Amino acid sequence: MSKEGSSSKLAVVAAILGNVGVAVVKFIASAISGSSALFSEAIHSLVDCGNGILILVGLRKARRAPDYTHPFGSGKELYFYTLVVSLAIFLLGGCVAILEGVQAIRHALAGAVEPGDPLVGYIVLVAAAFIEGTSLTIALKQFNAARGSMGPIAFIRQAKDPSLYTVVLEDSAAELGLLFALVGTVLTQVTGNAVFDGVASVLIGLLLCGVSALLLSETKGLLVGEGVSPDEVDEMRAIAEDDPRVTEAGSILTMYMGPTSLLVVMDISLVSGVSPEGVDEITDAIEMRIKNRWPETAQVYIEVERKSVVLEEQEEQELWEE
């Protein structure tokens, strides 16, 4: 596994371990305190735990070697499982939290809810914030190392390994959700009105739906087939045309078949008089330079405009000499 792959796996495992314990404690606390917001947070942690397992499955399947039925490998398995994760956040996290909050508000307005003892809720919220914060710190460390000097949003937009930013988004949403739950619990205790607890649950649900929408948008692009940036295409063109025997680099097509599997297809035109051996030398040199610049490159296919002509000329010359 690559260094980046190991880093993303570390972040995911840390998130799973944190969410398992937090989910159990939140469910117990929500049952004792009767807090709708705590129940939504418990569902949130449970969903995050399942999501982490799905991401690990995706990471493992994405490393499978190419075979007859998957000649370009299975790198897009990770993109598929990330799509499932984003749907799970929306359906099992966001929608459930919103429905739970709406139901709690209706009951509170009808006077059917008496605020319970919030002490257990406070203890759990503080403990959960610490555990989630530890997981978020690990995920942010890997995330920042991967993005370097690039801005967070720009990195998410161009990143090809969704496991890193998925964990960061989930853990960030978890911390913000805990803040919503805390505020809802405090306002419910101060005012004696359980409506605030329900509102906090709705806000948690909306937050999760927002995270889900962002993940869906990014994963869609990866599944459909994203390539390198226009600037990087220009850089590939410059690499090819740097050889004086290359008159022009034509069409350059790229696609990420997985986080560490880039496909490059390129057309080049050569000057007259290049031998077949020279053609091979030129294409091998271009391929090597591209792979040195983009280590994630798995395949490079270079179509040479004059190669067929050169081979025909060589065959004709050999027949003439005979």
Side-chain angles (χ1 to χ4, degrees):
M1 184 188 299
S2 66
K3 182 178 180 180
E4 183 175 335
S6 300
S7 297
S8 60
K9 183 178 180 180
L10 173 62
V12 174
V13 170
I16 292 174
L17 294 177
N19 283 315
V20 169
V22 170
V24 173
V25 176
K26 284 179 181 177
F27 274 119
I28 295 174
S30 66
I32 295 175
S33 65
S35 171
S36 173
L38 264 178
F39 180 79
S40 296
E41 271 298 302
I43 294 293
H44 179 186
S45 295
L46 186 63
V47 170
D48 282 353
C49 180
N51 290 343
I53 294 174
L54 287 174
I55 291 294
L56 284 181
V57 171
L59 286 169
R60 180 179 61 82
K61 288 182 175 292
R63 296 198 303 271
R64 290 188 300 191
D67 56 26
Y68 181 78
T69 57
H70 299 89
F72 291 101
S74 302
K76 288 194 175 185
E77 288 271 13
L78 177 58
Y79 301 157
F80 168 75
Y81 280 96
T82 304
L83 179 67
V84 174
V85 164
S86 60
L87 290 174
I89 293 174
F90 176 76
L91 296 173
L92 301 179
C95 291
V96 170
I98 291 173
L99 291 175
E100 175 68 19
V102 170
Q103 184 177 14
I105 292 173
R106 291 178 59 189
H107 288 169
L109 292 176
V113 177
E114 290 291 334
D117 184 2
L119 179 59
V120 176
Y122 288 142
I123 295 174
V124 169
L125 287 172
V126 172
F130 175 78
I131 297 173
E132 297 278 14
T134 302
S135 173
L136 178 59
T137 299
I138 295 173
L140 280 174
K141 182 179 179 180
Q142 313 303 332
F143 178 80
N144 290 332
R147 71 181 179 87
S149 60
M150 187 178 296
I153 300 300
F155 175 76
I156 291 175
R157 292 295 183 189
Q158 69 85 39
K160 309 308 175 186
D161 182 356
S163 61
L164 273 175
Y165 61 75
T166 297
V167 174
V168 170
L169 290 174
E170 285 185 342
D171 286 350
S172 298
E175 287 289 89
L176 190 53
L178 288 170
L179 178 61
F180 290 161
L182 178 61
V183 172
T185 302
V186 171
L187 291 176
T188 297
Q189 181 186 15
V190 171
T191 64
N193 190 343
V195 168
F196 292 106
D197 183 58
V199 170
S201 181
V202 171
L203 291 176
I204 291 170
L206 293 175
L207 172 66
L208 294 178
C209 288
V211 171
S212 173
L214 178 58
L215 285 176
L216 279 172
S217 174
E218 293 304 313
T219 307
K220 173 193 171 185
L222 293 170
L223 275 174
V224 171
E226 287 186 0
V228 300
S229 68
D231 290 340
E232 289 175 303
V233 170
D234 291 340
E235 192 174 348
M236 287 184 181
R237 190 181 309 280
I239 286 175
E241 294 178 349
D242 186 58
D243 191 307
R245 294 166 294 182
V246 176
T247 59
E248 181 184 13
S251 175
I252 299 178
L253 305 176
T254 65
M255 180 185 294
Y256 276 92
M257 309 304 292
T260 58
S261 180
L262 175 63
L263 169 66
V264 179
V265 180
M266 176 186 299
D267 293 334
I268 61 173
S269 299
L270 302 181
V271 298
S272 300
V274 180
S275 67
E277 293 78 10
V279 172
D280 292 336
E281 178 187 330
I282 293 169
T283 55
D284 289 346
I286 293 174
E287 179 178 353
M288 182 179 298
R289 292 185 64 189
I290 288 176
K291 287 185 174 181
N292 287 338
R293 169 61 179 83
W294 291 273
E296 69 272 23
T297 304
Q299 294 94 11
V300 179
Y301 298 101
I302 302 176
E303 179 70 22
V304 181
E305 182 179 308
R306 284 189 47 80
K307 187 169 185 178
S308 60
V309 177
V310 170
L311 290 174
E312 290 176 2
E313 291 176 349
Q314 184 188 45
E315 291 175 358
E316 292 176 357
Q317 180 66 27
E318 291 175 350
L319 288 174
W320 175 260
E321 292 175 353
E322 290 177 359

